Amino acid sequence: MSKYAKAFGADTVSTGEPVLRRGPGFLREIAHDKKAVFGLIVLGIFAVFAFLGPWLAPHDPNAMLFDMLMPPSLEFPLGTDDLGRDLLSRVIYGTQISLFVGVSTVAIALVFGVALGLIAGYFGGWLDYVIMRYIDLQWAFPNFIIAVYLVAVFGAGLLNVIIAISLAFLDDFARVARSMVLTLKEEQYVDAARVSGASNFRILTQHILPNAAAPIIVQATVSVSYAILGEASLSFLGLGVEADTPTWGLILADGRSFISRAWWLGLFPGAAIMLTVLSINFLGDGLRDYLDVREVKDV
């Protein structure tokens, strides 16, 4: 029995592959973690804003219909910006773009990064050498610098931002996947599957990948928060989405010249970024504890 099977309290079949028993559900597990509960609630609220933004926003986010730089009031709970646009509507619409960028970029990076890591770790040899030298080269530069360079080359825009951030985070998933494969491919159940005539693709997708999922999932939750910060930073620098697309970073960039006399222009979009990133990190910590192979789960 592998160490992963022992940690989860698993049984084994004739191939020696762990068959995980059904432990406590994730929601019941994090119910005891106040930070994870806070993160789940806040993310749920922002998810509602993202999906129902057009119906929840009181005004058109780009409509310049009101007085400029009005402070928060009953009519405008978050005030208006320097062009007379309702800040609450812009923050709600910005939720949709920011969360979409965070989730989509991590999904793309996960698929391609895990694929490279699986190939490099399982086959080894020259494939491992070529892939890992590319990963090492990318690892030498900060993710944000890579994203800035790619956007500067290909131009601003939502699609280019997603591609740039995805490529910047690809190496993280490749390294995690490769390290797990190097360990798991020596397990007895993998040898049994290989002897039984299973193809390499079947071994990778049905025997190795499911048992390597826990650290990959945790890495994904951490990367979502960094991707949201990356999009906000690019938009703040003018390298993000188009000027008529409200995102939290772009709202901050538009109001930076007026923050000294209109404090709400920096406080509310900045608080939205902070709460989202903080909530994802809290939820990621709870997910890490739930999936930690070093902890034996109660059956």
Side-chain angles (χ1 to χ4, degrees), residues 1-21 187-190 192 207 211:
M1 186 184 300
S2 69
K3 59 183 178 181
Y4 301 95
K6 292 177 181 178
F8 279 99
D11 297 322
T12 57
V13 294
S14 59
T15 60
E17 184 170 4
V19 180
L20 304 183
R21 291 194 190 127
E187 295 288 344
Q188 293 180 356
Y189 61 85
V190 174
H207 297 278
N211 290 287

Side-chain angles (χ1 to χ4, degrees), residues 7-293:
F8 279 99
D11 297 322
T12 57
V13 294
S14 59
T15 60
E17 184 170 4
V19 180
L20 304 183
R21 291 194 190 127
R22 191 172 182 82
F26 175 61
L27 292 179
R28 188 170 65 181
E29 180 80 7
I30 68 170
H32 304 289
D33 188 339
K34 294 181 179 179
K35 293 190 299 182
V37 172
F38 170 82
L40 192 62
I41 293 174
V42 173
L43 283 179
I45 294 173
F46 281 117
V48 171
F49 287 163
F51 285 104
L52 301 180
W55 294 275
L56 294 177
H59 304 286
D60 184 334
N62 293 317
M64 297 176 284
L65 304 175
F66 313 104
D67 293 336
M68 298 180 294
L69 300 179
M70 293 179 61
S73 62
L74 292 177
E75 185 180 3
F76 304 103
L78 303 187
T80 62
D81 65 5
D82 59 301
L83 297 178
R85 297 172 295 190
D86 179 43
L87 191 60
L88 175 61
S89 300
R90 291 180 63 77
V91 170
I92 290 176
Y93 270 83
T95 306
Q96 188 177 56
I97 301 298
S98 297
L99 290 184
F100 174 74
V101 170
V103 174
S104 60
T105 53
V106 170
I108 295 172
L110 186 150
V111 171
F112 289 97
V114 169
L116 289 176
L118 290 176
I119 293 172
Y122 185 78
F123 293 103
W126 67 270
L127 275 174
D128 183 34
Y129 180 83
V130 171
I131 292 174
M132 293 313 298
R133 294 300 74 76
Y134 163 72
I135 298 300
D136 289 340
L137 179 63
Q138 185 172 334
W139 188 266
F141 298 92
N143 289 338
F144 182 69
I145 299 300
I146 296 175
V148 168
Y149 172 76
L150 292 174
V151 171
V153 170
F154 296 107
L158 181 60
L159 180 60
N160 289 342
V161 168
I162 291 175
I163 295 175
I165 299 178
S166 300
L167 291 175
F169 285 104
L170 184 146
D171 59 325
D172 295 328
F173 290 99
R175 283 182 173 273
V176 171
R178 178 180 178 271
S179 64
M180 292 300 299
V181 172
L182 291 176
T183 300
L184 294 174
K185 73 176 184 178
E186 304 298 333
E187 295 288 344
Q188 293 180 356
Y189 61 85
V190 174
D191 292 335
R194 190 179 294 114
V195 170
S196 66
S199 64
N200 290 327
F201 180 78
R202 182 182 179 88
I203 293 174
L204 282 171
T205 57
Q206 296 191 19
H207 297 278
I208 292 180
L209 184 58
N211 290 287
I216 294 174
I217 293 173
V218 173
Q219 178 64 42
T221 60
V222 174
S223 297
V224 169
S225 61
Y226 284 116
I228 292 175
L229 285 175
E231 183 277 324
S233 301
L234 289 173
S235 296
F236 186 82
L237 294 175
L239 298 173
V241 298
E242 292 82 358
D244 60 347
T245 304
T247 69
W248 293 334
L250 191 60
I251 295 172
L252 282 173
D254 290 340
R256 60 187 167 186
S257 300
F258 306 93
I259 289 179
S260 60
R261 57 193 179 97
W263 53 267
W264 55 91
L265 294 182
L267 176 64
F268 294 119
I273 296 173
M274 180 197 70
L275 285 173
T276 302
V277 172
L278 194 65
S279 300
I280 292 174
N281 288 338
F282 284 164
L283 194 59
D285 289 341
L287 184 62
R288 180 198 60 203
D289 295 338
Y290 176 70
L291 297 174
D292 193 347
V293 299

